[in-house]
Amino acid sequence: MNFFAREEHARRSSRRLVVLFVLAVIAVVVAVDLVVFFVGWGQQVRAAGPGEPVVNSVNWVLLAEVSAIVLAVIGVGSLYRSLSLRSGGGPGVARAMGATPVPPDTDNFAWKRLRNVVEEIAIASGVPVPEIFVMEHEAGINAFAAGYSPADAAVCVTQGCLDKLTRDEMQGVIAHEFSHVLNGDMRLNIRLIGLLFGILIIGMLGRILVYSGGRVSTGRSRSDSGGSGGSGTIYIAAIGLALLIIGYVGYFFGRLIQAAVARTRESLADASAVQFTRQSSGIAGALKKIAALAEGSDLEAQKKQEVAHMLFGEGGRAMSWFATHPPLMERIKSLDPAFNPDELVQIIEAWQQPRQVTPRQAEERNDTSLSGLAPLIIAATVAAGGGGARAAARGPLPAAGATAHVDAGMLAGQVAQPAADDYRAASALSDGVPESLRAVARDAQQAPALVLALAMARDDGDTRRRQLALVRSGAGEAQADAVQALAGQLANLHPLLRLPLASLAFPNLRRLPRPRLHEFVARLQALINADGHVDLAEYCLAKLVQVQVIDALDPAAAFAAGSARLRDRVEEARDLFALVAAYGNEDGDRARQAFQSAAEEAFPGRNLMYAQPVDWQRALDAALGKLDRLRPAGKELVIRGLGKAIADDGVVNVAEAELLRVICAALHCPLPPILQSAPAG
């Protein structure tokens, strides 16, 4: 199942989830209406007196009003909970669980290893590096990913993961969580929490009525000597008790739905983790330790039930009906068919042996540093000479003008499908970034200046002087001096490292207050436009800031559900293919041929006319915005068309690879670092 098939599967799961919860809400409304009806009937019987006839009439207006109130309560409760989760993003969920953020400059070995693993998988997966958290007081082995979109995601692990897992096992757990990020499970999880809270609030309201009715009744019994004044409060308490039962029964069935959906997604995440890491021993080893060790995957956090369907393992003991994960032994055997339960005994015995060196310390020498490079790694694919992309990933960075042979037909299949070579490419790029610049990118105070410096003109001429004047007038003399000094350091930086370095600084930009971030973006755009011309490198930098930084301010608005069909976006696809074809081919005839290859791939049998937009930047922005709203099948055709346009001449250069990755990022189709090489010969 490729990325686009998984996206479609997630959409179907969301639709089924909505249908099931709509049915649950209808059942709750009907149950409340029945309570109101019978309470009203009881009042009529009481009013009629002994031997008098009872008028058996249904107050439809009252029932309609009650139904509307119940629907409003459920809807407002669900909306409130969903919006509260969205506003805080993944970091908000992690903090609500009592987790501690892992700082970029931590000296804690276990935290450094965790950050390295998370960043490595982010690079290889082609998604922004998420915020990283640790639940320091949790001894069980567990983890979760939260957030509305990859731009505001957070990955959180327990202290038990840090203490008990080897690096490979940690990698398997984190890869499992990244699959939730890539497969759209985080949005589904937020909907689950919101809908469950909406149903639960009926029970909470019932509890309030029971409590308030009881207090009022007790107060009246003390002041009234056996009179009938408390009969109304008895009905209030009765209605409250009924609502309490209905709400928690609804919550019961909601939990069943939640568990069933979660079990399906967890099985897919296990398989994806194996695909990401290209080995099953890591995640299988983590599951075996959960099964063997006393703490298992249990959590002590009070809100663990709310995030149960997000966790790597069950957060506590649960009935099979409510289990949010497949049975542990079933998960282990699916990953390791040769599994023998005796292995669990061996794990217990080995863990009880005294150690002079802990497992994590023993691995320190093998712990490679991939500190913070974000996923949109530009052209680690290209190879110097004829060595191919894979050789480049293992060796020094290729020359700036190098090209690589790429199989266009395999490009769409690589989206969100990282391979082992992607990790090696990430390592090569990480090693290529000077440590001094890496430290600046990790520094919250200096990171904005670094990104502005990347937008400065290469030569020390009139354009750079105008740019420095813009920085000085908007941000002050100190910021201008910092930008000027960093621009000098960046002058000799390898072209392949410029955007990865910017991505390294993006997590710090996302932490800026909203007003300051908007000021920064306006200043960056002013620098880019200082010479009256925007080139491809400048456009890619600005677009990356938008995709990985600005979208995090409002991920729900930035995320496109994808309902448009490709046949309704012909003009936008045509402009995109024409621009990509032109940038990859200086010769007009070759550009036209590349465009026709792309158009035939996406729109077979349809004759599209090749024409370059007058304002390429405006056209590209408009095209990406509308194409991002395509259904998964439509996006797949667009990516396949782009592959044809890029590789029509059989090779990919740095500029083409850079543009391709930014386009894929804007379409929320993360592309790993290594483009699939064409078969030899």
Side-chain angles (χ1 to χ4, degrees):
M1 186 182 294
N2 67 12
F3 171 77
F4 304 100
R6 293 199 302 267
E7 282 277 294
E8 189 58 46
H9 185 272
R11 287 161 59 92
R12 289 196 300 269
S13 296
S14 296
R15 287 193 292 266
R16 287 196 297 268
L17 176 67
V18 170
V19 170
L20 289 172
F21 271 98
V22 166
L23 293 175
V25 169
I26 291 173
V28 170
V29 171
V30 170
V32 174
D33 286 344
L34 288 174
V35 169
V36 172
F37 170 77
F38 283 113
V39 168
W41 182 76
Q43 288 179 327
Q44 291 175 6
V45 171
R46 183 182 180 88
E52 296 182 15
V54 178
V55 179
N56 189 13
S57 61
V58 179
N59 191 337
W60 294 108
V61 175
L62 176 61
L63 292 181
E65 291 174 348
V66 170
S67 299
I69 292 172
V70 173
L71 287 173
V73 169
I74 294 175
V76 171
S78 296
L79 183 62
Y80 163 77
R81 190 68 184 114
S82 297
L83 290 178
S84 66
L85 290 170
R86 292 181 188 180
S87 62
V93 176
R95 290 188 178 94
M97 292 292 292
T100 303
V102 175
D105 57 350
T106 178
D107 292 328
N108 183 306
F109 165 74
W111 287 17
K112 287 172 63 177
R113 185 186 68 162
L114 172 63
R115 177 169 288 280
N116 290 340
V117 170
V118 171
E119 290 168 349
E120 176 182 321
I121 297 178
I123 293 167
S125 303
V127 298
V129 176
E131 297 284 346
I132 307 170
F133 290 81
V134 173
M135 291 184 279
E136 296 182 87
H137 303 294
E138 298 287 356
I141 299 172
N142 223 321
F144 67 85
Y148 194 79
S149 73
D152 74 325
V155 170
C156 182
V157 305
T158 61
Q159 187 65 37
C161 282
L162 301 182
D163 293 339
K164 299 179 176 70
L165 299 184
T166 66
R167 193 181 196 281
D168 283 348
E169 290 165 351
M170 179 74 77
Q171 189 182 60
V173 171
I174 299 301
H176 173 102
E177 297 308 321
F178 264 82
S179 75
H180 289 309
V181 176
L182 291 168
N183 296 337
D185 294 342
M186 295 190 302
R187 295 186 296 275
L188 188 63
N189 289 337
I190 285 180
R191 293 190 183 103
L192 280 167
I193 294 175
L195 291 170
L196 278 173
F197 185 81
I199 294 176
L200 179 61
I201 205 170
I202 297 295
M204 295 166 64
L205 180 61
R207 180 188 296 174
I208 293 172
L209 290 177
V210 169
Y211 179 68
S212 61
R215 288 187 62 186
V216 172
S217 179
T218 301
R220 287 187 174 179
S221 67
R222 290 175 179 172
S223 59
D224 301 337
S225 56
S228 60
S231 60
T233 59
I234 294 175
Y235 281 113
I236 292 176
I239 291 175
L241 179 60
L243 291 179
L244 179 65
I245 294 172
I246 291 169
Y248 281 95
V249 168
Y251 184 73
F252 170 86
F253 286 104
R255 284 279 314 280
L256 291 180
I257 297 170
Q258 177 197 48
V261 172
R263 283 195 295 271
T264 301
R265 307 307 295 173
E266 290 300 321
S267 297
L268 177 60
D270 283 347
S272 296
V274 175
Q275 188 175 44
F276 289 174
T277 59
R278 288 300 187 266
Q279 50 93 7
S280 61
S281 59
I283 185 172
L287 291 172
K288 290 173 185 177
K289 285 183 178 177
I290 289 175
L293 302 181
E295 298 86 354
S297 57
D298 292 350
L299 295 183
E300 301 296 330
Q302 292 183 350
K303 296 185 178 181
K304 65 181 180 181
Q305 200 57 60
E306 193 172 57
V307 299
H309 56 298
M310 298 183 182
L311 299 172
F312 174 72
E314 293 285 354
R317 302 294 181 264
M319 296 172 57
S320 59
W321 288 1
F322 294 124
T324 54
H325 297 67
L328 191 56
M329 293 302 166
E330 180 181 310
R331 293 176 70 185
I332 295 173
K333 288 181 179 178
S334 67
L335 295 166
D336 182 7
F339 168 68
N340 187 335
D342 290 341
E343 293 180 45
L344 303 183
V345 178
Q346 296 172 8
I347 292 173
I348 295 172
E349 292 176 349
W351 200 258
Q352 291 174 343
Q353 295 298 319
R355 288 179 172 83
Q356 295 180 346
V357 180
T358 64
R360 57 191 175 92
Q361 290 171 335
E363 293 177 53
E364 184 170 7
R365 62 182 181 274
N366 297 321
D367 199 25
T368 57
S369 175
L370 298 174
S371 304
L373 290 178
L376 303 174
I377 296 175
I378 310 305
T381 66
V382 298
R390 299 177 186 276
R394 291 191 297 269
L397 291 173
T403 60
H405 296 276
V406 172
D407 187 340
M410 301 182 70
L411 182 63
Q414 286 186 267
V415 172
Q417 304 276 27
D421 287 339
D422 296 310
Y423 298 110
R424 289 194 287 271
S427 181
L429 287 172
S430 178
D431 293 342
V433 177
E435 184 57 39
S436 59
L437 291 176
R438 204 177 320 194
V440 170
R442 290 199 189 107
D443 189 296
Q445 301 300 320
Q446 300 185 75
L450 176 64
V451 177
L452 293 177
L454 286 166
M456 298 291 287
R458 301 293 178 88
D459 60 326
D460 194 9
D462 291 340
T463 299
R464 178 176 285 195
R465 284 191 287 273
R466 285 196 297 272
Q467 290 174 322
L468 287 172
L470 287 170
V471 176
R472 190 174 293 108
S473 63
E477 191 71 35
Q479 181 84 318
D481 290 344
V483 170
Q484 185 174 19
L486 288 169
Q489 295 182 50
L490 295 170
N492 297 321
L493 188 69
H494 195 292
L496 298 180
L497 299 176
R498 294 178 65 83
L499 288 183
L501 182 59
S503 295
L504 177 58
F506 286 165
N508 280 319
L509 295 185
R510 289 198 290 264
R511 298 187 186 102
L512 291 176
R514 186 182 292 262
R516 284 190 58 195
L517 184 54
H518 284 304
E519 290 175 4
F520 169 82
V521 171
R523 192 170 299 121
L524 175 64
Q525 196 62 51
L527 296 187
I528 288 174
N529 294 326
D531 60 354
H533 170 73
V534 178
D535 62 27
L536 179 62
E538 293 170 333
Y539 176 84
C540 288
L541 176 62
K543 181 59 69 174
L544 274 183
V545 170
Q546 176 189 334
V547 172
Q548 294 200 1
V549 180
I550 300 302
D551 284 2
L553 293 177
D554 192 358
F559 169 71
S563 59
R565 297 181 182 275
L566 185 56
R567 63 170 179 258
D568 300 323
R569 296 290 185 265
V570 176
E571 292 184 7
E572 290 77 14
R574 181 197 62 198
D575 288 346
L576 180 62
F577 293 157
L579 288 167
V580 171
Y583 273 108
N585 298 277
E586 295 181 0
D587 180 73
D589 291 337
R590 292 300 303 269
R592 190 183 307 274
Q593 179 180 328
F595 169 82
Q596 293 299 339
S597 297
E600 181 61 28
E601 182 70 23
F603 304 98
R606 187 164 183 171
N607 186 24
L608 299 184
M609 299 299 295
Y610 173 71
Q612 281 293 313
V614 176
D615 186 343
W616 71 267
Q617 185 180 357
R618 185 183 300 273
L620 186 53
D621 281 336
L624 293 177
K626 291 186 176 181
L627 293 175
D628 192 30
R629 267 63 183 174
L630 286 174
R631 295 181 176 184
K635 284 189 180 182
E636 182 174 14
L637 287 173
V638 170
I639 300 299
R640 286 168 54 183
L642 285 172
K644 292 291 186 180
I646 288 283
D648 182 73
D649 57 358
V651 296
V652 170
N653 59 36
V654 172
E656 289 174 314
E658 183 176 272
L659 181 59
L660 178 61
R661 295 183 192 289
V662 172
I663 288 172
C664 287
L667 296 179
H668 295 93
C669 298
L671 192 64
I674 295 291
L675 301 184
Q676 183 64 49
S677 301

